[in-house]
Amino acid sequence: MSIDYAGFRRELESFVRGACPPEIRAVVAAGQKITKREYQAWQQILNAQGWGAPSWPREAGGTGWDIRQRLIFEEVMAENDCPPLYHHGLGHIGPVIIRFGTPEQKARFLPRILDGSDWWCQGYSEPGSGSDLASLSTSARLDGDAWVVNGQKIWTSHAHEASMIYMLVRTSKEAKKQEGISLLLVPMDTPGITVRPIQTIDGWHHLNEVFFDEVRVRADNLVGEVGKGWTCAKFLLERERLPPANVARLELMRRQVTQLVEEASRAAAGLRDFSGLHHKLLLCEADVKGARVMMAQATDDLIHQRPLGVQPSVIKMTCADVAQRLTTIALDAVGPDAAHRFLAEAGDDVPDATWIQNYMFTRARTIAGGTSEVQRNVVANELLGA
Amino acid sequence: MSTSFPSLFPGMLLDAASRYAEDHIVVAIQGDPVRELGWTATLVPEEAGGVGGSLSDLASIVEGLATHGLQLPVVETCAVVPLLLQAAGAETAHRWLEAVAEGSVQMAPLTALSATPDVNAVTARHLDIGYELSGTVQGVDATLPATHYLVPAQVDGEDAIFLVDAERIGAPKARYRTMEGRVGADFVLAQLAVPESACIARGAAARDARAKATDAALLLTAADTVAALATLIRQTVTHLKERRQFGVALSSFQVLRHRVADMYVKYLGAKGLVIHCFNDYEQDAPDLRRTLRLAKVSLAESARACAEAAIQMHGGMGVSEEVLATRTAQRLIASEFRYGDRLLHVAYLLALAPQASAPHVSFSNQTGSVR
Ligand SMILES: Cc1cc2nc3c(=O)[nH]c(=O)nc-3n(C[C@H](O)[C@H](O)[C@H](O)COP(=O)(O)OP(=O)(O)OC[C@H]3O[C@@H](n4cnc5c(N)ncnc54)[C@H](O)[C@@H]3O)c2cc1C
């Protein structure tokens, strides 16, 4: 039976318009940072509707939607200023547990992702291991019925709010550097874990260092085979690079920035020259249209189980680039009023500085999840050989 | 590597500022170093108890601070203030300049960091017993304490400058941390009554002084940008040499080598432009303001490109404020918006008929420094 995609879109639209609380939509519409509060509330609403995990298979508690439906879902969400789904649980570790986890792990962890009771963070990067992730050195040794973890993770987004961390640990030093790595699921309240905030250029708190000192973790919290964590990590990274939400969110951002430029241009009353910004906005509009088609093609390949090749890298780079250009346009539009009024003392509301924060925050789009230089290496290797 | 980044404004002032900045970068600013170190005397004429120095002297201080990433409102307190004060009648100017030079008053301009001192944010009304000031001034530098404010204003269609006690101005309506880590504040003047004597200059004298303060602010900000660019590139080079990934130093990746080379090319271009600006200033070139606007637009472009490149090449460290390169990148981006952003200066440049100006390159010495 063929799916009535138009009818599906209408059903989603009528639901999200009624169900997404106005205060949450206001945060998204203003381009402000979405915090655990908004993500979690929206996740619970979606889950009650049975739409908690649009991309998961039905047997794991997902919707069983095809990928086109998933894309429509993302577009409707963005068009109606709803928060995106929180990626670490639903987009990253959830699919890994579904693919590599034991039945017991699935039963223990998946429902808590669906109903928003667990909030996950990703412990991959270390001070000495960034782009070269395989050189990581945080260790785990088996001691009776527990893994004992020692080491340090860095740049851990949301670790201060998370209840769980999925992390790569070295369980053997003997093998090649990609081998001997395992994927471990660790409750954040385990004794021996210390979280230290990292002050970032955007003025928001999202990054942390996480220290592990003789942290004991149940032996059955290891996912997949011991020493084969790299397979899970790669599976996860591919998904990380192809977040279908990106293009729909980018179009939302483009509309927000266009409106911002129009307002700032009116307020400046001819005193500042906005023609360059309008020109740049047009180029972004064209690039978003191009990215949307790239995304649709990748989606088609996923549906038909054709290899994705370099598409995740290309789409990630393109979306990161457009996002940076859009927030740069916003920076130019609001800069003079907002740069010197960046972070207000408690109680003062300065809405314009949000766009400067967004500009700063977006600098990380070409760093986190694999830098653009590393993505270019992937593409170049495809074209020119390694 | 230091040979790749010779100082723009070398000398004892640079060394002192540089040393001070290096020693104080990690501690919160205590007291009022700008006055304690006597920098407010730099531009004050000798007969008023000052040093009678030049804008290049002040640029040395600006360069020294920028080199080690310290943020102090030197441009505002040491250039804008004395230049505005000089609009007053000889006796008034002398008295206040003396107080500024010896640090017995703490004077700051009540101007938005984003606007030039020749812009009117405040309107004054002349009453029988003095004036009434009204207006909102957003994003004023409030890093250091102030006992007095100089308020540029418009009165009956004329430019004017008022000198008002900080107490009378009152507390700011809101306080902020600026992008580059200074303290900013919004002030609202609602029919604020000031005595007749508060108006220290009106008409042509006020207009000229405000224009001079604007030129100085634009020049010194450009010097700050070039000094910060040098620091940024130096830090990035060090990082690329020290950080290892895939078993090699980052500096062995050609894409990063080229990127840092592009930064350096931009830096040298920016430096040349700033030297050109100082030469034009010293020679009182007729199209100085146009050149300064051009520099503002061009430096904004280069500074942002370099800031973004440095952040990227530092990876995660590039978004952490604990890293000097990151703070320098912030400073460069914020400096774009000081004293008018590029959209404003482009608007002026496009609206003005382009003036043909004979190109002149007159480097003062072989090192490429201004002196
Ligand atoms: C906002 C943000 C959120 C993050 N969230 C998380 C998280 O939740 N969990 C987590 O584990 N990690 C997280 N990260 C870390 C992120 O994955 C790393 O920052 C990233 O992998 C880059 O590593 P690095 O920072 O060590 O940079 P480095 O690897 O040191 O790279 C520095 C520079 O060198 C370049 N470079 C490196 N290798 C090569 C090469 N072979 N060829 C050419 N150029 C190269 C890079 O492109 C970059 O420009 C986050 C980072 C940021 C900025």
Side-chain angles (χ1 to χ4, degrees), chain A residues 127-128 130-132 155 199-201 271-273 328 332 336 339-343 345 359 363 366 373, chain B residues 114 138 175-177 179 186 243 245-246 259 304 308 312 316-317 319 321 326 330 337 341 343 347:
Chain A
S131 298
D132 181 18
W155 319 122
Q199 209 173 334
T200 48
I201 45 174
L271 260 180
R272 295 164 70 223
D273 179 57
T328 302
D332 279 325
H340 311 294
R341 306 160 79 216
F342 183 48
L343 299 177
E345 277 187 2
Y359 163 80
R363 302 314 317 157
T366 45
E373 286 76 13
Chain B
S114 60
Q138 294 182 326
R175 288 167 75 86
Y176 314 87
R177 201 207 86 170
M179 197 201 283
D186 289 351
R243 171 100 176 143
Q245 290 290 286
F246 303 100
R259 223 166 160 181
R304 188 184 296 173
E308 291 178 350
Q312 181 68 23
M317 282 162 89
V319 304
E321 276 193 345
T326 306
Q330 274 183 318
F337 298 108
D341 68 317
L343 303 193

Side-chain angles (χ1 to χ4, degrees), chain B residues 117-368:
Chain B
D118 54 4
V119 168
N120 286 307
V122 175
T123 318
R125 227 154 53 92
H126 203 173
L127 307 173
D128 294 343
I129 43 147
Y131 291 85
E132 193 180 77
L133 305 181
S134 297
T136 301
V137 196
Q138 294 182 326
V140 175
D141 185 284
T143 310
L144 302 177
T147 56
H148 295 76
Y149 285 106
L150 281 167
V151 190
Q154 188 174 47
V155 55
D156 300 332
E158 256 186 4
D159 280 336
I161 301 168
F162 289 82
L163 175 57
V164 188
D165 285 1
E167 248 173 55
R168 205 183 275 267
I169 297 274
K173 194 169 157 284
R175 288 167 75 86
Y176 314 87
R177 201 207 86 170
T178 72
M179 197 201 283
E180 74 270 53
R182 298 194 194 191
V183 181
D186 289 351
F187 288 88
V188 177
L189 310 185
Q191 298 180 319
L192 180 78
V194 297
E196 186 80 30
S197 60
C199 182
I200 60 164
R202 265 185 82 154
R207 192 175 58 245
D208 289 351
R210 289 169 61 176
K212 280 210 178 77
T214 297
D215 288 344
L218 288 172
L219 264 172
L220 292 172
T221 306
D224 187 307
T225 294
V226 171
L229 274 176
T231 299
L232 186 76
I233 301 171
R234 239 192 259 123
Q235 297 291 324
T236 305
V237 166
T238 304
H239 178 74
L240 295 182
K241 283 181 166 171
E242 287 175 358
R243 171 100 176 143
R244 294 177 74 81
Q245 290 290 286
F246 303 100
V248 294
L250 291 182
S251 61
S252 62
F253 296 124
Q254 194 175 42
V255 64
L256 306 183
R257 298 174 73 84
H258 285 187
R259 223 166 160 181
V260 84
D262 284 341
M263 287 170 77
Y264 189 65
V265 171
K266 284 194 165 70
Y267 156 73
L268 285 185
K271 184 173 160 175
L273 183 55
V274 168
I275 291 173
H276 176 89
C277 288
F278 271 85
N279 287 336
D280 267 13
Y281 175 80
E282 272 154 25
Q283 289 156 19
D284 216 1
D287 59 350
L288 173 67
R289 181 61 67 80
R290 183 177 184 282
T291 306
L292 291 176
R293 291 195 196 283
L294 209 54
K296 185 82 189 152
V297 176
S298 164
L299 291 179
E301 192 80 32
S302 298
R304 188 184 296 173
C306 291
E308 291 178 350
I311 290 173
Q312 181 68 23
M313 284 190 277
H314 275 79
M317 282 162 89
V319 304
S320 161
E321 276 193 345
E322 286 163 41
V323 176
L324 175 58
T326 306
R327 290 197 306 274
T328 308
Q330 274 183 318
R331 181 192 194 107
L332 284 165
I333 294 165
S335 292
E336 281 188 48
F337 298 108
R338 274 160 71 192
Y339 303 110
D341 68 317
R342 64 175 102 177
L343 303 193
L344 177 123
H345 291 294
V346 164
Y348 275 105
L349 287 167
L350 295 182
L352 290 173
Q355 292 168 15
S357 61
H360 67 277
V361 185
S362 58
F363 291 98
S364 312
N365 63 32
Q366 296 300 317
T367 64

